[in-house]
């Protein structure tokens, strides 16, 4: 690793686990502007700020940058408060109409962090299921200010200033046999007492069962990696949920990942989580071996170069503005990444481009059918 990377991961580990930063890695010549930019690219400004706070005053960034970092942290905290408040509001609305959504990823995972408000947040993902999907969309549309194009899994509606994704389908795996097992597992627990309850800022929400949730957080990240790339925040999410949850059943998680064809992905993510984030090896559901280390470093390199969802990759072309040219861009990018990075999840990489095209065609067919 470069000196900047060593410093960056020291800050991340300190912020994640509440341990002091190794002061020998820092001096008055430390390039804090580059560290700030790296944290921004990886969506870890809050976590690295917590790590930086353990350094002596003389080793911290100069006042101007420090205040800039403070302002960024205040904005992250405010965004989290807003999202948490809107989760309570949308749950209240849905429950008043006999819909019980399941919160996916995001703010549910954030509660595992030492300071949940310091995790950079995004949108609100809710699994509704096919039965109440249209009803839930209709409820939101009465106060929405717009929405994105609906896809085969969900619609994204801008509501009270935040994006809410109502999921008809929780997610899909591309490999048919893996997806069959994935959907069967969802059907087993959805709408039952197997779901968990969690309190977020005083309001109780519903989460998937723990073993499924842990496996799904990794699954979601692996699929995003094959499509466009991921940032280090996604690996932090997985590491945190593995380390902090009581009564976690690592064997059950490993069995799910094996059924879904993601054992290799679990090992490779494990390399990054243990060697660079400081997760104890015994927390992994599927321990990696020596031959997985090189592939894990290759994963880390792509994360470092691409940043959050691959948005900062200098070699990445801009998506064209045209509708069909944009669809073709997405397909060709995913196909190329599956060729380059298929070792992460071989079965998914083989099927992913084909299923991407199939699902896109299904969306267009449904649009034409509804118009007619």
């Amino acid at each position: 690793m470069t000196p900047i990377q060593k410093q960056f991961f020291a800050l991340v580990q300190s912020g994640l686990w509440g341990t002091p930063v190794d002061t020998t890695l820092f001096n008055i010549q430390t390039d804090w502007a580059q560290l700030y930019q790296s944290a921004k690219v990886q969506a870890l400004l809050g976590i690295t700020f917590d790590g930086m706070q353990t350094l002596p005053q003389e080793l911290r960034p100069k006042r101007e940058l420090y205040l800039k970092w403070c302002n960024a942290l205040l904005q992250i905290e405010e965004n989290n408060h807003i999202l948490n408040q809107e989760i309570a509001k949308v749950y209240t609305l849905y429950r008043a109409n006999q819909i019980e959504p399941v919160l996916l990823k995001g703010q549910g995972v954030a509660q595992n962090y030492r300071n949940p408000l310091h995790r950079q947040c995004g949108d609100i993902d809710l699994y509704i299921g096919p039965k109440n999907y249209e009803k839930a969309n209709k409820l939101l549309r009465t106060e929405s200010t717009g929405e994105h194009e609906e896809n085969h899994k969900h619609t994204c509606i801008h509501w009270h200033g935040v994006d809410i994704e109502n999921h008809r389908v929780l997610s899909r795996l591309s490999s048919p046999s893996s997806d069959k097992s994935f959907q069967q597992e969802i059907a087993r627990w959805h709408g039952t007492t197997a779901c968990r309850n969690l309190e977020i800022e005083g309001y109780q929400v519903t989460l998937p069962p723990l073993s499924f949730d842990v496996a799904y957080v990794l699954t979601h990240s692996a699929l995003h990696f094959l499509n466009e790339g991921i940032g280090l925040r996604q690996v932090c999410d997985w590491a945190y949920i593995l380390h902090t949850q009581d009564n976690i059943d690592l064997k059950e998680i490993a069995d799910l990942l094996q059924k879904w064809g993601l054992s290799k992905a679990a090992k490779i993510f494990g390399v990054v989580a243990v060697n660079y984030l400081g997760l104890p090896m015994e927390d992994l559901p599927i321990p990696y071996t020596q031959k997985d280390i090189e592939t894990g470093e290759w994963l880390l390199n792509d994360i470092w170069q691409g940043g959050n969802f691959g948005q900062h990759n200098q070699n990445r072309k801009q998506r064209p503005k045209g509708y069909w040219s944009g669809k073709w861009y997405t397909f060709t990018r995913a196909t190329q990444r599956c060729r380059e990075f298929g070792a992460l999840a071989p079965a998914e990489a083989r099927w992913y481009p084909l299923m991407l095209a199939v699902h896109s065609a299904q969306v267009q067919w449904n649009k034409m059918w509804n118009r007619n």
Side-chain angles (χ1 to χ4, degrees):
M1 290 195 294
T2 65
I4 282 288
Q5 288 175 319
K6 289 179 181 178
Q7 292 166 341
F8 176 77
F9 283 105
L11 293 173
V12 171
Q13 288 191 29
S14 173
L16 286 174
W17 314 118
T19 54
V21 176
D22 181 359
T23 57
T24 64
L25 295 172
F26 297 83
N27 55 49
I28 58 172
Q29 303 299 324
T30 297
D31 189 348
W32 280 105
Q34 182 58 57
L35 286 169
Y36 177 89
Q37 183 60 26
S38 296
K40 184 178 179 181
V41 163
Q42 299 298 333
L44 290 176
L45 282 170
I47 304 304
T48 49
F49 182 90
D50 289 343
M52 178 252 290
Q53 291 293 91
T54 70
L55 287 170
Q57 193 71 39
E58 64 272 15
L59 295 180
R60 296 181 191 178
K62 299 239 181 329
R63 177 178 171 80
E64 184 180 357
L65 181 58
Y66 183 81
L67 291 177
K68 181 180 178 181
W69 214 322
C70 287
N71 286 333
L73 182 64
L74 288 173
Q75 188 61 61
I76 291 169
E77 291 177 342
E78 178 65 18
N79 291 342
N80 273 294
H81 279 307
I82 291 171
L83 224 58
N84 292 340
Q85 290 163 7
E86 294 307 316
I87 285 173
K89 290 176 185 176
V90 74
Y91 259 85
T92 300
L93 174 65
Y94 284 171
R95 284 170 173 165
N97 288 274
Q98 293 73 54
I99 299 172
E100 183 62 32
V102 178
L103 182 64
L104 306 173
K105 309 181 274 75
Q107 298 308 95
V109 172
Q111 306 315 303
N112 298 295
Y113 280 68
R114 287 197 309 122
N115 189 336
L117 296 179
H118 288 190
R119 177 192 179 271
Q120 223 155 308
C121 59
D123 54 16
I124 299 171
D125 286 80
L126 299 171
Y127 178 49
I128 306 296
K131 180 181 176 182
N132 289 311
Y133 175 69
E134 293 299 341
K135 182 180 178 181
N137 289 341
K138 187 176 180 180
L139 288 169
L140 287 191
R141 284 173 180 145
T142 60
E143 297 183 33
S144 75
T145 54
E147 61 186 270
H148 300 285
E149 181 188 28
E150 186 175 9
N151 64 28
H152 67 285
K153 293 184 297 185
H154 60 72
T155 189
C156 181
I157 298 175
H158 197 64
W159 189 75
H160 296 184
V162 303
D163 284 335
I164 297 181
E165 289 188 359
N166 278 336
H167 284 250
R168 179 180 64 85
V169 175
L170 192 151
S171 187
R172 286 199 187 281
L173 296 175
S174 299
S175 164
S177 59
S178 299
D179 187 57
K180 181 179 179 181
S181 173
F182 185 75
Q183 303 305 332
Q184 286 174 341
E185 183 62 22
I186 295 167
R188 183 188 68 78
W189 58 257
H190 186 227
T192 73
T193 55
C195 291
R196 293 178 292 152
N197 293 317
L198 176 71
E199 194 171 282
I200 299 178
E201 293 196 23
Y203 193 90
Q204 194 170 89
V205 301
T206 302
L207 299 183
L210 180 57
S211 293
F212 176 89
D213 211 8
V214 177
Y216 171 59
V217 167
L218 175 72
T219 300
H220 180 76
S221 297
L223 295 181
H224 266 295
F225 179 79
L226 290 176
N227 186 340
E228 56 193 349
I230 58 170
L232 201 63
R233 187 195 64 175
Q234 280 70 41
V235 190
C236 290
D237 283 352
W238 192 56
Y240 243 128
I241 196 171
L242 281 169
H243 186 67
T244 59
Q245 287 291 327
D246 296 328
N247 303 317
I248 196 166
D249 190 334
L250 294 179
K251 183 180 183 308
E252 186 176 5
I253 296 165
D255 288 344
L256 288 174
L257 291 169
Q258 185 171 4
K259 289 176 185 176
W260 303 346
L262 293 169
S263 296
K264 184 70 172 177
K267 293 178 182 180
I268 296 171
F269 271 72
V271 172
V272 176
V274 170
N275 293 333
Y276 298 95
L277 301 184
L279 180 73
M281 184 76 154
E282 58 268 24
D283 287 344
L284 294 178
I286 306 176
Y288 62 84
T289 62
Q290 188 66 31
K291 66 180 182 180
D292 297 312
I293 293 178
E294 184 178 351
T295 314
E297 291 172 349
W298 153 88
L299 168 65
L300 180 68
N301 183 63
D302 188 77
I303 290 172
W304 186 260
Q305 296 297 327
N308 201 34
F309 296 122
Q311 295 169 352
H312 302 274
N313 191 331
Q314 299 300 314
N315 297 321
R316 178 172 168 174
K317 296 178 182 178
Q318 290 293 317
R319 180 186 172 95
K321 292 183 179 179
Y323 180 82
W324 289 110
S325 56
K327 291 292 184 184
W328 178 249
Y329 164 85
T330 300
F331 175 77
T332 54
R333 181 195 64 200
T335 301
Q336 181 180 354
R337 284 191 65 85
C338 284
R339 281 201 304 265
E340 291 178 2
F341 304 111
L344 183 86
E348 282 301 296
R350 282 196 299 272
W351 284 94
Y352 190 82
L354 173 61
M355 298 312 295
L356 190 64
V358 168
H359 292 147
S360 182
Q362 286 175 340
V363 169
Q364 298 310 313
W365 172 259
N366 289 337
K367 274 185 172 182
M368 291 173 59
W369 180 262
N370 290 334
R371 278 199 298 265
N372 294 332

